[in-house]
């Protein structure tokens, strides 16, 4: 399972070579500024097994993959993805360039969010 560590104001996730998951955490914590709700409540609701995820227009999207077409093609080229598992697609959007995505199982995603919440609470 991946881990989270604080690198100054940035949250850095292990085994995240394209930094999509790290960026996800940063953007997810910014939702508090939009909703006014505590991050712990906001993120628990949005990323529960039946949560709605998040969309930051032209910047980032995170959603639960429920059908094969929900998974970016680069993840299905070598083998089909098991959608019986709770699988979340995290996608950093780039204007004029292809998007960059990561797949994370629900349990691990919530673990990373909890680790990030702990780090934010101590900093």
């Amino acid at each position: 399972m991946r881990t989270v560590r604080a690198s100054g104001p940035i949250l850095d996730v292990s085994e995240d070579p394209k930094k999509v998951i790290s960026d996800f955490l940063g953007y997810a914590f910014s939702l508090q500024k939009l909703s006014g709700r505590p991050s712990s409540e906001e993120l628990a609701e949005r990323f529960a097994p039946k949560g709605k995820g998040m969309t930051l227009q032209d910047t980032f999207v995170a959603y639960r993959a429920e059908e094969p077409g929900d998974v970016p093609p680069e993840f299905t080229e070598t083998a089909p993805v098991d959608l019986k598992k709770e699988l979340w697609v995290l996608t950093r959007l780039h204007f004029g360039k292809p998007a960059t995505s990561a797949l994370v199982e629900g349990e691990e995603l919530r673990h990373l969010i909890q680790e990030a919440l702990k780090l934010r609470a101590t900093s």
Side-chain angles (χ1 to χ4, degrees), residues 92-111:
R92 183 176 53 227
L93 305 171
H94 305 279
F95 182 74
K97 298 179 186 176
T100 307
S101 298
L103 296 181
V104 182
E105 289 188 25
E107 183 178 323
E108 182 175 23
L109 183 64
R110 287 184 289 279
H111 166 77

Side-chain angles (χ1 to χ4, degrees), residues 3 5 8 22 26 34 45 52 58 70-71 94 101 103-104:
T3 59
R5 71 178 182 85
S22 298
L34 299 173
E45 181 182 304
K52 63 181 179 178
D58 299 327
D70 293 341
V71 180
H94 305 279
S101 298
L103 296 181
V104 182

